[in-house]
Amino acid sequence: MKSYDLSQSRMLRRTAGWAAGSGIALGLGIAQLVRVGNPAAGTATIVVSLLVGVLALGVPIMAVGLVLYQLREAGGQLRELINIRPLLGDMPVPFGGWAMEPRLGALIVETMQRRRPRLMVECGSGSSTILTAEVLRRFGSGRLISLEHEPVFAEETRERLRERGLDAWAEVITAPLVDRDVDGTTHVWYDVDINEHFDEIDLLVVDGPPRRASPLARYPAVPILRTHFADGCIILLDDGNRPDERRTARIWTKLLGARARHYTSGKGAWILELTRGGGGVAAGAE
């Protein structure tokens, strides 16, 4: 699995390295000066000198690095928001927090342009539903099915779709969270009849259920839906920097024999691509 560092976190790691190195170098320099003036100075003097160096130089460098990281991250999110905002029309659509981050929206649009999905399934509705439906309308083909466990949120998303004339392109299904058997283990997932609603899924976006629902809350999506994956299906997992989602992505990659990429910007995301020509589930999947 490859990691694509889009969030400038390499810069943050390098800044931490520079801060530590600079602080230690300054501390050693102080210790050397002290020992020149006082040859009897011992280990304690060196330790104190190192601490002084880290506090005097390392901490300020790290603070500046954190500020630069936050500014560049915010700038990246703003650029993506500017890119995708025209697709959302004049009415307000929330971003950030519980809602979709602008960079996730841009990643969804880029993936849709590459895959041109006939059927797209989304776990968790909201801003991404509006964006996806608008892209499908501009393509002139495809449809979206969005699963939402909260009836109020589901109806709110339906209303936004109707306001924009997008309800022909997207359907929001209210599906409460229930115990589901997944390969002999009980998990909490959406109560939906997949054989009734889904044909061949070209693109799956997993942004639900919320992690408070259960451990590895988003894991069931792939084992439950995999029999409906189209050839070359692409899976996009949001919140990819969280430990549960990292573990989920690794399990899915092994299960499907898929190619996986990790995007670390913001809350992070994973993209898994099934092998084309091998059917809906790649060869080697267990």
Side-chain angles (χ1 to χ4, degrees):
M1 292 184 289
K2 296 183 179 179
S3 180
Y4 290 73
D5 212 336
L6 306 182
S7 66
Q8 312 302 327
S9 60
R10 277 183 301 185
M11 181 192 74
L12 190 59
R13 291 195 295 270
R14 288 174 180 174
T15 301
W18 293 336
S22 300
I24 290 172
L26 178 61
L28 290 173
I30 294 172
Q32 186 63 30
L33 290 174
V34 170
R35 297 190 72 173
V36 169
N38 181 14
T43 303
T45 301
I46 297 177
V47 172
V48 171
S49 299
L50 288 173
L51 289 174
V52 170
V54 170
L55 291 174
L57 189 59
V59 171
I61 290 177
M62 190 62 193
V64 171
L66 286 170
V67 171
L68 290 175
Y69 168 77
Q70 291 170 347
L71 288 174
R72 295 184 70 171
E73 181 68 17
Q77 295 282 5
L78 180 59
R79 284 193 300 272
E80 300 297 2
L81 177 58
I82 292 171
N83 288 336
I84 66 174
R85 194 61 184 84
L87 294 171
L88 296 168
D90 298 327
M91 293 180 235
V93 176
F95 286 96
W98 289 104
M100 168 187 66
E101 285 189 333
R103 274 189 170 164
L104 175 65
L107 192 57
I108 290 174
V109 173
E110 292 168 9
T111 305
M112 292 178 69
Q113 289 175 328
R114 181 158 53 92
R115 186 64 173 94
R116 294 291 176 126
R118 292 163 297 178
L119 174 60
M120 183 170 169
V121 173
E122 174 187 51
C123 299
S125 70
S127 305
S128 57
T129 312
I130 310 302
L131 177 67
T132 299
E134 178 58 37
V135 174
L136 291 175
R137 176 165 68 178
R138 297 194 180 204
F139 286 167
S141 64
R143 65 190 180 102
L144 167 68
I145 297 176
S146 181
L147 304 178
E148 175 57 60
H149 72 283
E150 292 282 2
V152 173
F153 293 159
E155 185 53 39
E156 182 178 332
T157 303
R158 292 188 196 103
E159 182 60 29
R160 288 178 177 170
L161 289 168
R162 287 192 292 266
E163 289 172 351
R164 292 165 171 80
L166 295 172
D167 47 323
W169 301 96
E171 176 187 2
V172 181
I173 297 175
T174 303
L177 298 178
V178 297
D179 288 342
R180 300 280 302 257
D181 179 75
V182 181
D183 296 331
T185 303
T186 300
H187 288 267
V188 175
W189 206 67
Y190 300 100
D191 185 15
V192 60
D193 186 341
I194 62 172
N195 294 316
E196 176 184 349
H197 294 284
F198 304 141
D199 298 318
E200 291 191 339
I201 302 170
D202 296 298
L203 176 57
L204 171 64
V205 177
V206 183
D207 192 18
R211 62 178 171 179
R212 67 176 181 273
S214 67
L216 296 181
R218 297 176 182 177
Y219 161 73
V222 163
I224 288 176
L225 298 175
R226 62 185 294 203
T227 56
H228 290 266
F229 288 166
D231 187 32
C233 176
I234 297 176
I235 303 158
L236 197 158
L237 174 64
D238 190 21
D239 298 309
N241 293 337
R242 298 191 313 207
D244 272 11
E245 276 63 31
R246 288 175 181 265
R247 185 181 172 195
T248 294
R250 289 194 293 268
I251 296 172
W252 286 354
T253 300
K254 182 178 180 181
L255 178 69
L256 300 173
R259 296 185 299 272
R261 290 174 288 172
H262 182 201
Y263 295 84
T264 61
S265 173
K267 294 185 291 185
W270 288 84
I271 289 184
L272 281 68
E273 297 188 43
L274 274 64
T275 305
R276 283 189 179 273
V281 178
E286 298 176 0

